[in-house]
């Protein structure tokens, strides 16, 4: 299930709900992203997240379907904030459940890479010294490139040798 | 009238996040629209950047893509959430 | 913080506590392992986990210290059940917090591999057709071997090329 | 008297998880203890397996490791939690 919400949400409540849904799964991985209070050497006063509905939702649905095709998941949950939020507030929550812990880890990791670099959001950071739009870093793009089919096989081989 | 949406930093450049515009009849594709708007908004090339993608009626397109006077056209700088 | 407990615990409450502790972290990853209700084609009635104190605790402490040295973690939490437990009950909870999401993912993954193959536990499964002691699978050992220093570098190179 | 602990499946083999034993004076190291106990318990080689490690006073040791009559000695088949 996928939710975009302009209101604060609780990752631990989301995990509690997910546990019920994933009952019998064996392995559950969750990722929570929180608003930083520092960016470089500036204090962060808040963040604004802009979405473009329904393109944003459709893209996330597609990534979730992709994850389900790549890994044997028994449940999947994505919550993403939009609008204005303050430091320490959760921006994003991803949970995956599977019989296999590697599948749960990799699927959560994959979905976060999608959300960081491909999900249709624009992010603005408010600091004392001004406001700036934040675009993904080179590191985010290279993390995301790990999941192209060819790289994934290279990765698997390297891991398991 | 076309609905033009300016996302992320392009909202600052355009001075608004969305507006209705009468696109001149001579502007019939996305590449021409970029050039025309960049001048209209004194954007100094911001609308021409390759990293800025255009979506026509919620579909991301490759320049030059035909546009119609009543389309919803979004200017999308690099995306990223989380 | 590391806890071995013979009593049931709640992963979502553990995550709620961890969020407070990890305040300002940016990225939180949690892993929850649950007792399966099926093993092969048999129904599982329950599980017994035997520990050898303080060797079990000391080993986990050492793995946690190792994780902190390898990745820039701002907080770390491990809860592991001992004794008897029923299907769907949580066995293990691992949470990691960092400014960097890759660090949080990798550290949680690393700690789970340690817990699966090196932590001093013995696990017995009760099924209708009998009870059996479960030892790690070949797959668990190969997962765990990913983290030797040399393999990790190979892995990183493969991932980021 | 030595404290002998039998973990995992070795508890089933020994018929108990822990016991106090008078180890014969001729048994002075872990390798000899494995052989002696395997016969005592009719374990059919279960105590001799290379995958079964021994801990003396909570330290995992490599055979043959010296033992004293009052040591705590644990027989540890392959471990694994989670």
């Amino acid at each position: 299930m996928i939710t975009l919400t302009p209101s604060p949400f609780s990752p631990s409540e989301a995990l509690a709900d997910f546990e019920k849904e994933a009952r019998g799964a064996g392995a559950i991985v969750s990722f929570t992203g929180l608003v930083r209070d520092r960016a470089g050497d500036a204090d962060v006063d808040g963040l604004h997240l802009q979405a473009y509905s329904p393109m944003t939702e459709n893209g996330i649905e597609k990534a979730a379907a992709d994850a389900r095709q790549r890994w044997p998941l028994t449940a999947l949950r994505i919550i993403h904030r939009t609008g204005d939020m303050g430091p320490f507030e959760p921006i994003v929550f991803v949970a995956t459940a599977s019989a296999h812990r590697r599948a749960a880890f990799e699927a959560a990791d994959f979905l976060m890479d999608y959300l960081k670099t491909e999900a249709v959001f624009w992010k603005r950071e408010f600091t004392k010294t001004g406001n700036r739009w934040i675009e993904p870093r080179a590191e985010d793009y290279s993390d995301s490139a790990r999941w192209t089919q060819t790289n994934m096989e290279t990765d698997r081989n390297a891991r398991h040798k | 009238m076309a609905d033009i949406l300016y996302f992320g930093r392009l909202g600052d450049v355009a001075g608004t996040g969305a507006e209705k515009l009468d696109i001149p009849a001579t502007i019939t594709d996305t590449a021409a629209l970029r050039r025309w708007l960049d001048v209209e908004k004194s954007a100094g090339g911001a609308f021409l950047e390759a990293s800025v993608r255009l979506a026509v009626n919620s579909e991301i397109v490759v320049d030059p893509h035909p546009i119609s006077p009543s389309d919803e056209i979004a200017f999308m700088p690099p995306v990223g959430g989380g």
Side-chain angles (χ1 to χ4, degrees), chain A, chain B:
Chain A
M1 194 173 61
I2 290 159
T3 307
L4 292 199
T5 170
S7 315
F9 68 92
S10 159
S12 54
E13 281 173 27
L15 182 61
D17 292 342
F18 190 72
E19 271 177 69
K20 280 172 218 150
E21 190 191 335
R23 191 179 154 87
I28 294 175
V29 168
S30 81
F31 179 89
T32 303
L34 302 150
V35 179
R36 298 180 298 172
D37 59 339
R38 307 275 306 161
D41 49 6
D43 286 335
V44 173
D45 295 326
L47 209 65
H48 177 81
L49 265 166
Q50 205 177 29
Y52 179 22
S53 294
M55 194 188 280
T56 307
E57 290 87 339
N58 291 346
I60 299 174
E61 292 282 2
K62 202 174 158 300
D66 200 3
R68 283 182 178 279
Q69 199 161 22
R70 283 167 184 247
W71 293 280
L73 304 180
T74 55
L76 173 58
R77 182 83 176 97
I78 297 173
I79 306 174
H80 207 295
R81 276 289 292 279
T82 57
D84 291 321
M85 59 206 87
F88 310 128
E89 284 187 41
I91 312 175
V92 60
F93 176 82
V94 167
T96 53
S98 177
H100 310 283
R101 77 181 183 291
R102 294 237 53 71
F105 267 119
E106 292 185 2
D109 197 1
F110 167 84
L111 288 167
M112 277 311 304
D113 281 343
Y114 171 82
L115 290 167
K116 282 276 179 186
T117 59
E118 294 182 57
V120 178
F121 291 107
W122 296 272
K123 191 160 38 170
R124 184 175 216 170
E125 213 165 55
F126 304 106
T127 69
K128 295 270 180 294
T129 57
N131 307 332
R132 58 187 196 104
W133 291 95
I134 312 207
E135 294 176 0
R137 303 159 302 165
E139 195 184 321
D140 292 320
Y141 289 120
S142 63
D143 279 348
S144 191
R146 291 180 300 153
W147 307 105
T148 60
Q149 206 64 39
T150 317
N151 281 359
M152 194 165 69
E153 273 151 27
T154 312
D155 183 25
R156 282 251 164 87
N157 292 341
R159 282 176 165 203
H160 288 148
K161 83 179 164 200
Chain B
M1 301 279 271
D3 283 301
I4 313 290
L5 308 177
Y6 307 100
F7 286 106
R9 59 182 154 83
L10 295 182
D12 297 349
V13 173
T16 181
E19 60 185 342
K20 290 191 176 294
L21 276 186
D22 253 329
I23 299 174
T26 51
I27 310 292
T28 59
D29 68 48
T30 51
L33 179 68
R34 284 175 186 261
R35 288 191 299 270
W36 176 68
L37 264 180
D38 202 71
V39 173
E40 285 287 307
K41 300 285 178 188
S42 308
F47 288 88
L48 308 178
E49 289 172 26
S51 70
V52 171
R53 291 179 299 174
L54 264 67
V56 176
N57 301 323
S58 288
E59 290 290 338
I60 291 173
V61 300
V62 175
D63 291 322
H65 187 89
I67 56 175
S68 306
S70 62
D71 282 343
E72 177 180 284
I73 302 168
F75 282 82
M76 303 171 56
V79 296

